[in-house]
Amino acid sequence: MASQATFKSIRSLVPLLDRVLVQRFKADTKTASGIFLPTSATNNPLPEATVIAVGPGAPNKDGAVVPTSVKAGDRVLLPGWGGSSIKVGEEEYYLFRDSEILAKINE
């Protein structure tokens, strides 16, 4: 499992380099008709997330900083693995490298 850290406020966390802080969408716990789903059906994390904050970017082999490809507020598609888990109160966030994000979701 990914490493886990706990913070009092998400504002105290600023990603470095090409790291991206995201919050995964939560799975519905009941259907539209009101049927509650068992935890085994909602335990797997959804692959979609909202970007909360991004680092400034990472230097390439020539030393130029390459900015991250997403920005705060973007919806993204994440892999089913990886990321570093961060707890803030009851909320859970994840840090991923920009290159680990699979896609940006445009609406």
Side-chain angles (χ1 to χ4, degrees), residues 5-66:
T6 305
F7 297 90
K8 292 182 181 179
S9 168
I10 198 62
R11 290 189 180 113
S12 66
L13 186 66
V14 178
L16 298 177
L17 299 173
D18 63 342
R19 306 296 192 302
V20 178
L21 180 67
V22 299
Q23 185 174 29
R24 289 184 184 266
F25 291 147
K26 292 188 169 124
D28 289 334
T29 56
K30 67 179 182 175
T31 65
S33 60
I35 298 171
F36 284 94
L37 299 170
T39 55
S40 61
T42 60
N43 216 10
N44 294 335
L46 293 176
E48 291 182 41
T50 300
V51 175
I52 305 300
V54 298
N60 63 14
K61 64 181 179 180
D62 299 323
V65 174
V66 177

Side-chain angles (χ1 to χ4, degrees), residues 10 13 15 18-25 46-55 70-79 81-88 91-98 100-103:
I10 198 62
L13 186 66
D18 63 342
R19 306 296 192 302
V20 178
L21 180 67
V22 299
Q23 185 174 29
R24 289 184 184 266
F25 291 147
L46 293 176
E48 291 182 41
T50 300
V51 175
I52 305 300
V54 298
V70 295
K71 64 184 184 319
D74 285 348
R75 285 181 55 200
V76 295
L77 186 65
L78 300 173
W81 46 266
S84 297
S85 174
I86 299 164
K87 285 280 259 195
V88 179
E91 297 294 322
E92 192 165 17
Y93 300 87
Y94 294 87
L95 271 172
F96 282 90
R97 288 190 180 274
D98 185 47
E100 294 174 333
I101 294 175
L102 302 176

